[in-house]
């Protein structure tokens, strides 16, 4: 594939329609088949031996991958690495059972033979905070949390703690903070600490963390990339320096994504840039409308010129795209009123998750940030009157009229 190809074309073509090498068969399926075989053999045992020994590309056992996961991995690598693939020294990806499995694999790989200290943003996805506290900490891996939007604090912490890995999200959940990824990438590079970026909220259409110094980019495929609310999956994209170790660990741990899910994710990704553009455009209009409502106390949205990280957003985001997530506080609302509003929704789906074609509303205090003590939640700025909206691809006037009736009638 040419350099600098539009993500719209990459999404449709990368990883698919591989021409067979040599002679037969002469036909090429227009989409990747779902390869369900759990193991593979060759005409000659020598070939299987070479594949096992990593001397020859090929398939051997389903836990190590299959042609369907290979195609998905190639596709997401092309989307995330884009024109910087050369400088990344043969990057590649590993499809995982879920986004959480992907984060686990990235952290385990980054920390191998490094100082067992993680520097992490305190504005992380709830389950990621849980994994650091409940899985890594008991295993002797300390995490130092701090506000990644405080440049000076990050710089000081890098020097004080000398982390073995650094973990952040491009757009934080649910308050949509945007740290200075480029400056953090530079600090990590100088300190030789691999930077792991969870790019689930921003997607490679808005920002490609490898261009700013990331060593690993992870996604919950469950969200924007698959986009239809019908599959779970995760993926780690790694630069060439980390890919072999990532794959070697994955073979042992076995977080493998099944072939059906790989197919669904790949099918979803073909329309991801189109969907995302529409979701971003809808979100701008929904955020503007919310900002004018009497019932709404405050709107969190990256297009807001008064956003606390407006300078980072201006520097890092693709022009005119601000993501499809909008969070807002409802004036004086307690949990009971939020529940009534969410029960009144007719089009917007009051369910967990995000990035689907349908709009969704989530109550962070009940769902994503449920396990965090109320006091700590308040310290993070996640108040009990905050809701998070994932704007879908519906007609924007229908989304707004549903929000309008729900906010008015209860
Ligand atoms: C959903 C999500 C995850 C976890 O992904 P799963 O596929 O649910 O395991 C991780 N990070 C972010 C930012 C997410 O939104």
């Amino acid at each position: 594939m040419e350099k600098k190809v539009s993500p719209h074309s990459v999404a449709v073509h990368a990883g698919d329609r591989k021409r067979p090498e040599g002679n037969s068969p002469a036909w090429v399926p227009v989409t990747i088949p779902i390869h369900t075989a759990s193991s593979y053999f060759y005409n000659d045992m020598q070939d299987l031996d070479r594949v096992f020994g990593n001397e020859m590309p090929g398939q051997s056992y389903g836990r190590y991958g299959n042609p369907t996961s290979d195609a998905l991995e190639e596709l997401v690598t092309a989307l995330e690495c884009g024109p910087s693939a050369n400088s990344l020294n043969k990057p590649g990806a590993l499809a995982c059972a879920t986004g959480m499995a992907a984060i686990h694999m990235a952290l385990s790989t980054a920390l191998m033979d490094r100082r067992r200290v993680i520097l992490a943003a305190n504005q992380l996805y709830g389950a990621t905070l849980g994994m650091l506290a409940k899985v890594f900490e008991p295993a002797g891996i300390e995490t130092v949390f701090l506000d990644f939007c405080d440049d000076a604090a990050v710089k000081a912490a890098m020097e004080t703690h000398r982390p073995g890995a650094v973990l952040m999200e491009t757009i934080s959940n649910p308050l949509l903070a945007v740290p200075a990824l480029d400056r953090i990438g530079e600090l990590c590079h100088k300190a030789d600490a691999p930077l792991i970026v969870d790019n689930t909220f921003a997607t490679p259409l808005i920002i490609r963390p490898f261009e700013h110094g990331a060593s690993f980019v992870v996604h919950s495929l469950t969200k924007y990339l698959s986009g239809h609310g019908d599959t779970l999956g995760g993926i780690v994209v790694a630069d060439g320096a980390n890919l072999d170790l990532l794959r070697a660990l994955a073979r042992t741990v076995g977080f493998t994504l099944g072939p059906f899910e790989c197919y669904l994710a790949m099918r979803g990704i073909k329309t991801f840039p189109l969907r995302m553009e529409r979701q971003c455009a809808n979100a701008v209009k929904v955020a503007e409308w919310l900002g004018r409502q009497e019932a709404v106390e405050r709107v969190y949205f990256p297009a807001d010129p008064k956003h606390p990280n407006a300078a980072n957003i201006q520097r890092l985001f693709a022009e005119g795209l601000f993501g499809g997530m909008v969070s807002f506080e409802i004036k004086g609302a307690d949990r009971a009123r939020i529940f009534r509003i969410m029960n009144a929704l007719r089009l917007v789906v009051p369910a967990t998750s995000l990035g689907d074609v349908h709009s969704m509303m989530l109550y962070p205090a009940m769902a994503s940030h449920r396990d965090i003590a109320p006091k700590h939640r308040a310290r993070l700025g996640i108040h009990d009157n905050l809701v998070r909206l994932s704007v879908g691809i519906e007609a924007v006037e229908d989304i707004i009229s549903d929000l309008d009736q729900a906010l008015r009638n209860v």
Side-chain angles (χ1 to χ4, degrees):
M1 185 139 297
E2 295 278 332
K3 275 189 196 174
K4 286 232 159 196
V5 176
S6 149
H8 289 81
S9 311
V10 172
V12 171
H13 289 285
D16 234 333
R17 292 172 290 279
K18 286 283 164 56
R19 312 285 165 126
E21 279 174 26
N23 32 40
S24 65
W27 40 262
V28 183
V30 297
T31 61
I32 188 81
I34 303 169
H35 290 268
T36 56
S38 56
S39 57
Y40 299 80
F41 66 96
Y42 295 77
N43 278 335
D44 184 343
M45 277 302 292
Q46 297 280 4
D47 285 346
L48 185 57
D49 183 47
R50 281 190 212 106
V51 170
F52 269 122
N54 278 330
E55 295 150 34
M56 186 177 110
Q59 307 298 335
S60 54
Y61 184 56
R63 192 173 71 238
Y64 306 165
N66 65 66
T68 319
S69 62
D70 287 357
L72 170 66
E73 288 163 357
E74 187 175 330
L75 171 58
V76 179
T77 303
L79 281 170
E80 274 298 350
C81 300
S84 56
N86 279 344
S87 65
L88 295 170
N89 187 25
K90 299 209 170 88
L94 174 78
C96 298
T98 62
M100 293 317 300
I103 294 171
H104 194 290
M105 282 311 308
L107 280 169
S108 307
T109 307
L111 286 173
M112 188 67 67
D113 296 328
R114 285 200 175 86
R115 243 172 84 73
R116 295 165 80 77
V117 175
I118 302 167
L119 193 68
N122 57 12
Q123 311 101 325
L124 288 175
Y125 181 69
T128 308
L129 294 172
M131 183 161 66
L132 293 168
K134 293 179 203 157
V135 181
F136 282 88
E137 177 137 9
I141 296 163
E142 183 201 351
T143 303
V144 178
F145 291 102
L146 68 149
D147 177 3
F148 265 42
C149 291
D150 183 340
D151 290 355
V154 176
K155 186 158 190 280
M158 288 292 288
E159 283 160 17
T160 314
H161 298 285
R162 293 182 297 115
V166 177
L167 177 63
M168 62 179 286
E169 294 169 7
T170 32
I171 303 179
S172 83
N173 177 34
L175 296 178
L176 314 180
V178 180
L181 174 59
D182 47 355
R183 294 189 194 128
I184 296 167
E186 209 169 291
L187 289 173
C188 289
H189 190 74
K190 277 195 198 131
D192 198 23
L195 173 61
I196 303 167
V197 181
D198 181 336
N199 201 26
T200 301
F201 271 46
T203 81
L205 198 68
I206 295 179
I207 185 161
R208 286 197 294 254
F210 284 119
E211 291 171 5
H212 305 287
S215 299
F216 297 86
V217 174
V218 298
H219 276 277
S220 169
L221 291 170
T222 316
K223 315 293 170 53
Y224 285 106
L225 293 184
S226 293
H228 293 75
D230 57 4
T231 184
L232 281 168
I235 198 158
V236 192
V237 189
D239 62 18
N242 292 290
L243 187 62
D244 287 349
L245 181 58
L246 173 72
R247 291 213 167 120
L249 288 182
R251 285 177 163 228
T252 310
V253 180
F255 285 158
T256 321
L257 185 62
F260 289 99
E261 284 79 6
C262 289
Y263 162 77
L264 280 174
M266 199 155 170
R267 181 177 165 103
I269 291 172
K270 288 178 194 290
T271 54
F272 136 72
L274 272 181
R275 287 185 276 108
M276 190 67 189
E277 281 177 352
R278 168 82 169 202
Q279 282 165 296
C280 288
N282 279 355
V284 166
K285 292 192 181 136
V286 169
E288 278 170 8
W289 179 83
L290 284 167
R292 294 195 302 271
Q293 301 314 299
E294 194 51 36
V296 173
E297 170 115 31
R298 179 168 175 187
V299 180
Y300 296 84
F301 188 61
D304 180 357
K306 294 197 293 291
H307 188 292
N309 316 121
N312 294 341
I313 292 163
Q314 163 86 22
R315 211 170 57 246
L316 298 168
F317 278 28
E319 208 182 329
L321 300 177
F322 300 97
M325 304 298 298
V326 184
S327 293
F328 59 101
E329 290 167 354
I330 301 170
K331 229 173 250 172
D334 56 3
R335 180 187 160 98
R337 172 135 195 265
I338 301 274
F339 276 27
R340 285 199 302 276
I341 291 170
M342 290 177 70
N343 281 336
L345 293 167
R346 289 293 163 261
L347 177 130
V348 176
V349 184
T352 296
S353 197
L354 62 115
D356 290 338
V357 285
H358 44 268
S359 297
M360 304 176 95
M361 190 183 283
L362 169 138
Y363 183 37
M366 184 206 73
S368 60
H369 290 69
R370 183 189 188 97
D371 293 340
I372 299 171
K375 248 191 182 159
H376 184 46
R377 237 180 4 235
R379 233 180 299 133
L380 292 173
I382 301 165
H383 302 299
D384 283 355
N385 64 345
L386 180 85
V387 293
R388 189 194 80 184
L389 185 67
S390 167
V391 180
I393 64 168
E394 303 96 333
V396 70
E397 54 275 21
D398 293 335
I399 302 170
I400 289 173
S401 95
D402 193 39
L403 293 171
D404 191 29
Q405 64 81 22
L407 285 171
R408 260 172 218 285
N409 292 336
V410 291

